Amino acid sequence: MRKALKRTAIALGVGAALVTAGGAWLAAQPWGPPVELVEPVAGGTPIRLPELVGNYYPGVGEGPRPAILLLGGSEGGLGAAADGQARLLAKEGFSVLVLAYYRLPGQPQRFELIPLETFTRALDWLKAHEGVEPARLAIMGTSKGAEAALLVASRRTDISAVVAAVPSQVAWQGFDWSFAPVNTSSWSEGGKPVPFLPITTVGWNGDIYGPALADAAKHPEAAIPVEQIAAPVLLLCGEEDKLWPSCPMARAVKARRDGAAGSLATTLLAYPDAGHFGVGPALPEGRDVLALITMFGGSAQGNVAARADGWPRTIAFLKQAMASRAMKVKRR
């Protein structure tokens, strides 16, 4: 039963709060999900440097492989869910670095002023790895990780593909799992806060993001400059997302890119009966779905169906984008 729960949690993407994997460091905290640092399975390599913590998995195949920097969300640490997703991507031929960027010892403990240089450093590490083809580099994130992926990709010219699942159109104000006030940005760059959209009002239904987005025009500097991303972008969202309005924000990302000069490839997959957990790898067949899958919107069936459709399309998108990049490099 424990193994079945672990497999389902890995696919679901929220397993860190439910399952302690063997060989993992796990720290319970009074607020928020437990912070986990799982060790890689056979074939993977733990990266435990002062400014770079993650697990690296070489992609299946001959020669240097296209690579992906994989980012989780506000759960922090490096849990079984993110590690399992990295392993699935490696089986598809991508070398993957799944990164821990906050809540571990020595890292920011609040989602506050997390340096974008953390992600740049990880991308540079991947590019320099002997098992990676440096001209084919992607970044892939979910929720706050998708926010980071879009921010970082808008600042680099060497990204071949971007996958942003349940994303944001803006850089948001930071937060703390203890709900202590955080009055600055989630992110920093060059030691300074990245301009952010403040959260000042709570809606009648407890919504904090909708009222803030209604005032987004007053804070144009908070918008992520996604039109600066030359690479193809894949956006995935659930129309019934109750954590934050991922589909309206995904549409805003697409509209901004569609309205920019030039031809920017942007694909949006919006699932009508899915919520915040309707993205990520397909769930194992024949397994009971964890009740947690509906916590942030959508029905169990809708979330399962969205993942079953979205994951293979994500893999196809990555392979096509990486292949296109390889063709462009050969023409030079």
Side-chain angles (χ1 to χ4, degrees), residues 23-86:
W25 175 88
L26 185 74
Q29 295 194 346
W31 301 280
V35 188
E36 193 175 9
L37 176 60
V38 300
E39 293 299 315
V41 302
T45 302
I47 310 301
R48 306 290 186 263
L49 302 174
E51 295 184 324
L52 183 65
V53 178
N55 290 343
Y56 173 76
Y57 290 96
V60 172
E62 297 294 327
R65 308 302 304 160
I68 299 171
L69 177 61
L70 182 63
L71 309 175
S74 60
E75 71 278 2
L78 199 171
D83 190 71
Q85 187 169 329

Side-chain angles (χ1 to χ4, degrees), residues 248-326:
M249 291 195 291
R251 290 191 181 93
V253 170
K254 188 175 188 305
R256 184 170 179 127
R257 284 175 58 80
D258 289 349
S263 178
L264 298 175
T266 311
T267 302
L268 171 60
L269 302 178
Y271 294 96
D273 190 26
H276 202 71
F277 292 153
V279 296
L283 293 169
E285 294 184 6
R287 301 289 182 189
D288 292 334
V289 177
L290 295 176
L292 197 59
I293 197 172
T294 62
M295 175 180 288
F296 294 122
S299 68
Q301 183 179 7
N303 282 306
V304 169
R307 296 171 75 107
D309 182 78
W311 184 251
R313 294 175 74 173
T314 298
I315 299 300
F317 166 83
L318 286 165
K319 289 183 175 180
Q320 181 178 359
M322 296 294 200
S324 297
R325 178 66 175 178

Side-chain angles (χ1 to χ4, degrees), residues 149-301:
L150 291 170
L151 279 166
V152 173
S154 72
R155 287 157 165 78
R156 292 185 64 124
T157 60
D158 57 352
I159 302 298
S160 302
V162 180
V163 177
V166 287
S168 173
Q169 77 198 68
V170 297
W172 283 100
Q173 179 176 327
F175 72 92
D176 185 356
W177 278 108
S178 71
F179 301 105
V182 175
N183 297 316
T184 189
S185 180
S186 293
W187 317 100
S188 70
E189 185 175 29
K192 298 179 180 180
V194 171
F196 65 97
L197 185 62
I199 296 171
T200 58
T201 304
V202 178
W204 65 270
N205 59 350
D207 178 21
I208 62 174
Y209 295 107
L213 284 171
D215 287 335
K218 299 177 183 178
H219 302 274
E221 70 284 355
I224 301 173
V226 292
E227 71 279 5
Q228 296 179 15
I229 304 173
V233 174
L234 174 63
L235 307 163
L236 303 98
C237 66
E239 298 282 10
E240 296 299 318
D241 192 337
K242 303 304 182 188
L243 181 60
W244 69 5
S246 59
C247 278
M249 291 195 291
R251 290 191 181 93
V253 170
K254 188 175 188 305
R256 184 170 179 127
R257 284 175 58 80
D258 289 349
S263 178
L264 298 175
T266 311
T267 302
L268 171 60
L269 302 178
Y271 294 96
D273 190 26
H276 202 71
F277 292 153
V279 296
L283 293 169
E285 294 184 6
R287 301 289 182 189
D288 292 334
V289 177
L290 295 176
L292 197 59
I293 197 172
T294 62
M295 175 180 288
F296 294 122
S299 68
Q301 183 179 7

